Amino acid sequence: MLWGGMALFDATETVFSMRSQGMHHNWPQLFITILLSWLPWALATPVIMRLGRRFPPTGLHLLSTWIVHLGAAAAINFLSSAWRAFMDVMMNPWAKPEGPGSFTSLLLAGLVNGFLVTIIFYASILAIAFVLDSRDRIAHQQAETARLNEQLSKAQLDALRHQFEPHFLFNALNAVSALVRENRNDDAVNMIAGLSDLLRRVLQDSGRQQVPLYEELELLDKYLAIQKVRFSDRLRVDAEIPAELLQAQIPSLMLQPMVENALKHGIAKLAQGGAIRIAASRVNGDLNLTVFNDGPQLSSDWHSSGSGVGLSNLVTRLRGLYGDQFEFSLSNADSGGVLASVSLPYAAAGGKER
């Protein structure tokens, strides 16, 4: 296509400019001769590009590379000159009364006059091919790197998830053990039944990193049902979740470690028990989720003592999923108690932000 455009432009410009200057030639033959004189370059371009891939310009320090490319350029110059000489002999486009001359003389003149043009064209094609191939290689490498990074990120998230689920299971089994030690056998049986149901749901969702908020709340209800067996009437739970946010996508098992932390470090330390409030809101395109408990406030050195496996794994998972586009905080509430808060980009269940 490129060579066709250049040939058409060259033939048209030559014929019209010569005619405007009052010259007399065989115009149809001249137009066809100039047009077809570009044919060898159109046919040679794929060959040059193939040679450029096999003997790239980066290897010009090698003698073999020079020999190959100079030999190819000489061959193209010879074929192009022979083709042009043949057309001149056959069509006499310049309308010379004595004829165009012999094929040999025209060939020799073409070899000499076309040498510099051949070198320029050959080098240009070689450079363009190298740039295009380099761009394709870079694009392929970038795509491959992105694919590998995605696989690595998913593997890391899966590893964290697998580390997190046993942590949750061990805590639940410890709660069952505590009930057995207190001779609350019926409660222990009920907790085991609830735990079985909960683990079934967890395993069903094990292949998904994100779930709609309403599914996460259903799973959390099952977890809280187990905990209410343990705490009895010492645990009160309130949820304020607007209906329009129930389809929001969040990481699976995100609320559970936040609630578990509230139970372990808050409600469990109060003889009379306490309340947990779960809330969701949407602010400036972000989804905000909070878990509040009215237990003891955080100590001044809680940062150095760490936040436990559950919350630390949660933060790592959020970082893997959202990069820097999330916020997590654990702080003392102004009215007493502790507030855990997560802010992340809002996306509906179809994965589309709205």
Side-chain angles (χ1 to χ4, degrees):
M1 183 66 71
L2 176 62
W3 289 117
M6 292 180 64
L8 185 61
F9 174 81
D10 185 26
T12 303
E13 191 274 336
T14 301
V15 169
F16 276 92
S17 63
M18 285 185 172
R19 289 199 64 178
S20 66
Q21 296 175 23
M23 297 181 181
H24 299 282
H25 301 301
N26 294 328
W27 300 118
Q29 293 91 326
L30 180 60
F31 183 87
I32 294 173
T33 299
I34 296 175
L35 188 70
L36 294 180
S37 66
W38 292 86
L39 182 60
W41 282 106
L43 297 176
T45 297
V47 178
I48 298 172
M49 296 178 71
R50 192 174 296 113
L51 288 174
R53 295 187 185 100
R54 188 171 181 181
F55 302 92
T58 53
L60 291 179
H61 61 284
L62 300 175
L63 180 61
S64 59
T65 301
W66 281 98
I67 293 175
V68 168
H69 289 303
L70 289 177
I76 293 171
N77 186 31
F78 177 83
L79 293 174
S80 179
S81 299
W83 174 246
R84 181 63 179 266
F86 170 76
M87 289 190 295
D88 283 348
V89 170
M90 295 297 296
M91 291 189 283
N92 190 21
W94 305 104
K96 296 179 179 179
E98 69 279 8
S102 67
F103 175 83
T104 302
S105 61
L106 291 173
L107 173 61
L108 293 176
L111 289 174
V112 174
N113 297 329
F115 176 76
L116 182 59
V117 172
T118 298
I119 294 298
I120 294 174
F121 278 3
Y122 189 98
S124 299
I125 296 172
L126 200 63
I128 292 173
F130 180 76
V131 170
L132 293 177
D133 288 344
S134 297
R135 186 186 65 180
D136 291 342
R137 282 194 299 270
I138 292 173
H140 177 74
Q141 290 172 356
Q142 290 175 339
E144 184 68 12
T145 300
R147 185 183 67 84
L148 293 176
N149 286 338
E150 182 180 357
Q151 289 181 346
L152 177 60
S153 178
K154 187 177 185 301
Q156 291 172 335
L157 289 173
D158 287 341
L160 287 169
R161 182 188 177 101
H162 294 155
Q163 179 185 0
F164 167 72
E165 289 170 359
H167 167 75
F168 154 71
L169 178 60
F170 295 150
N171 286 345
L173 291 177
N174 286 334
V176 173
S177 300
L179 292 176
V180 172
R181 285 194 297 269
E182 296 173 6
N183 294 321
R184 296 169 56 186
N185 296 332
D186 291 341
D187 290 340
V189 171
N190 290 336
M191 181 176 282
I192 291 173
L195 179 61
S196 175
D197 188 23
L198 178 62
L199 289 178
R200 188 179 301 110
R201 283 292 304 274
V202 170
L203 290 175
Q204 288 174 350
D205 292 338
S206 61
R208 294 188 295 171
Q209 290 294 345
Q210 292 181 306
V211 297
L213 178 56
Y214 74 88
E215 290 189 20
E216 181 73 1
L217 291 172
E218 290 175 356
L219 193 66
L220 185 63
D221 284 341
K222 295 182 180 296
Y223 172 76
L224 287 170
I226 295 174
Q227 296 299 336
K228 285 180 179 179
V229 174
R230 172 188 172 192
F231 287 95
S232 188
D233 57 357
R234 294 172 55 226
L235 174 61
R236 301 180 303 280
V237 179
D238 297 319
E240 298 178 6
I241 311 294
E244 62 270 18
L245 298 182
L246 291 177
Q247 294 291 334
Q249 289 277 65
I250 68 170
S252 61
L253 293 176
M254 188 189 82
L255 290 176
Q256 188 273 333
M258 298 170 66
V259 172
E260 180 186 26
N261 185 76
L263 289 171
K264 180 178 180 180
H265 299 286
I267 309 305
K269 295 184 177 181
L270 299 176
Q272 74 279 13
I276 291 178
R277 290 197 295 271
I278 304 167
S281 62
R282 187 178 177 186
V283 180
N284 296 328
D286 288 338
L287 176 67
N288 293 332
L289 296 167
T290 59
V291 175
F292 168 81
N293 75 85
D294 58 3
Q297 292 197 319
L298 299 169
S299 61
S300 57
D301 63 343
W302 75 270
H303 287 282
S304 59
S305 59
S307 56
V309 174
L311 291 185
S312 61
N313 273 359
L314 173 61
V315 173
T316 304
R317 289 183 64 208
L318 291 173
R319 186 173 294 111
L321 287 169
Y322 301 103
D324 296 330
Q325 295 183 317
F326 83 96
E327 291 183 5
F328 174 83
S329 64
L330 186 65
S331 60
N332 291 320
D334 295 337
S335 58
V338 176
L339 182 68
S341 176
V342 173
S343 177
L344 45 86
Y346 176 87
K352 299 178 181 178
E353 298 200 5
R354 58 182 185 176

